[in-house]
């Protein structure tokens, strides 16, 4: 294990890069997911069609293909961006529909009578959503949002195959320098991912139990 101590800076650099990529993606994907969810429950048919098409397309497209399009195809169209930026955009586009579906499922869990009662007293669609539906939906939305974030944490490893240095990419660098310690390297990488996913999973479990009690 001496090599891990000696190469700790490489492991730490990859871990911090993964955390940074995760945080930036969440900051972009959650607002986009909220917009998509709002469009899908909108009374305007065209907005629902656009949001549904975007959501179904991205949810059923492999993440690797999304990376490939942004890293290799888009630059051929004359749009040159940094690999790191392309990775964050790919993760955002891929993850936002999953956030949107989690939010929409929470909204749909609110009894229809709540919205009907709000409309009967003269509230508009936006007022009904903001003051009646969303406050009730938030409690049941947070656990699935955390589960999507856990999946996103693991999906960041795909960026390592597209010229982005992150946690998984650091394992390849360590394996090249310490070929006889491959198993220990990958165990250390797995432990780093668990440092993120296990706490998130515990939080999701506790919130889910609280929501069940409140219901």
């Amino acid at each position: 294990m001496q090599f891990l101590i000696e190469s700790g800076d490489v492991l730490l650099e990859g871990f911090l890069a993964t955390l940074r990529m995760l945080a930036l993606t969440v900051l972009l994907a959650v607002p986009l997911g909220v917009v998509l969810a709002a469009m899908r429950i909108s009374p305007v048919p065209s907005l629902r069609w656009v949001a549904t098409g975007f959501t179904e397309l991205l949810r059923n497209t492999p993440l690797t293909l999304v990376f490939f399009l942004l890293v290799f195809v888009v630059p051929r169209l004359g749009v040159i961006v940094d690999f790191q930026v392309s990775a964050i955009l790919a993760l955002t586009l891929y993850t936002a529909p999953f956030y949107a579906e989690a939010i929409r499922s929470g909204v749909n869990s609110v009894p229809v009578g709540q919205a009907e009662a709000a409309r009967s007293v003269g509230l508009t669609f936006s007022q009904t959503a903001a003051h009646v539906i969303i406050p009730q939906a938030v409690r049941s939305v947070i656990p699935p949002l955390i589960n999507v974030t856990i999946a996103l944490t693991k999906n960041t490893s795909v960026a390592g195959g597209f010229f982005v240095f992150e946690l998984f990419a650091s394992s390849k660098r360590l394996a090249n320098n310490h070929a006889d310690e491959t198993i220990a390297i990958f165990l250390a990488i797995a432990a780093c991912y668990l440092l993120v996913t296990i706490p998130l999973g515990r939080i999701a479990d506790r919130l889910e139990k609280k929501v069940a009690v409140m219901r």
Side-chain angles (χ1 to χ4, degrees):
M1 298 297 291
Q2 181 64 29
F3 78 95
L4 286 178
I5 299 176
E6 297 173 352
S7 306
D9 55 338
V10 176
L11 194 61
L12 179 61
E13 181 184 356
F15 184 58
L16 293 178
T18 292
L19 291 180
R20 184 165 54 251
M21 191 185 311
L22 174 64
L24 290 173
T25 301
V26 169
L27 288 175
L28 293 173
V30 170
L32 180 56
V34 171
V35 172
L36 289 172
M39 291 172 65
R40 292 206 66 178
I41 64 174
S42 169
V44 181
S46 59
L47 293 179
R48 294 200 303 270
W49 296 338
V50 171
T52 300
F54 181 86
T55 299
E56 293 303 317
L57 176 63
L58 269 298
R59 287 180 66 200
N60 293 285
T61 300
L63 177 57
T64 304
L65 180 58
V66 179
F67 266 90
F68 184 87
L69 290 173
L70 288 175
V71 174
F72 297 113
V73 177
V74 171
R76 289 182 174 272
L77 301 177
V79 182
I80 307 299
V81 294
D82 182 74
F83 289 132
Q84 184 79 32
V85 175
S86 296
I88 293 173
L89 288 176
L91 290 169
T92 298
L93 292 175
Y94 182 79
T95 308
F98 291 94
Y99 279 129
E101 287 301 286
I103 294 169
R104 190 170 71 93
S105 66
V107 171
N108 289 338
S109 69
V110 178
V112 178
Q114 298 286 329
E116 293 176 346
R119 287 195 295 268
S120 69
V121 297
L123 294 183
T124 64
F125 171 77
S126 58
Q127 291 173 330
T128 301
H131 301 294
V132 179
I133 298 176
I134 293 178
Q136 298 183 67
V138 165
R139 292 179 302 186
S140 59
V141 162
I142 294 179
L145 289 181
I146 294 177
N147 289 332
V148 174
T149 304
I150 292 174
L152 170 62
T153 303
K154 294 179 286 186
N155 286 339
T156 57
S157 61
V158 178
F162 292 88
F163 315 111
V164 176
F165 183 79
E166 41 72 61
L167 188 56
F168 184 71
S170 68
S171 69
K172 293 188 290 186
R173 180 183 298 182
L174 291 173
N176 289 334
N177 296 331
H178 306 278
D180 56 333
E181 300 287 356
T182 303
I183 295 178
I185 291 172
F186 283 103
L187 287 176
I189 297 298
C192 289
Y193 281 112
L194 292 176
L195 286 176
V196 180
T197 58
I198 288 181
L200 287 176
R202 292 291 178 85
I203 293 173
D205 289 341
R206 290 186 178 182
L207 290 174
E208 193 168 1
K209 290 178 182 178
K210 286 186 177 180
V211 170
V213 171
M214 294 174 70
R215 285 178 175 174

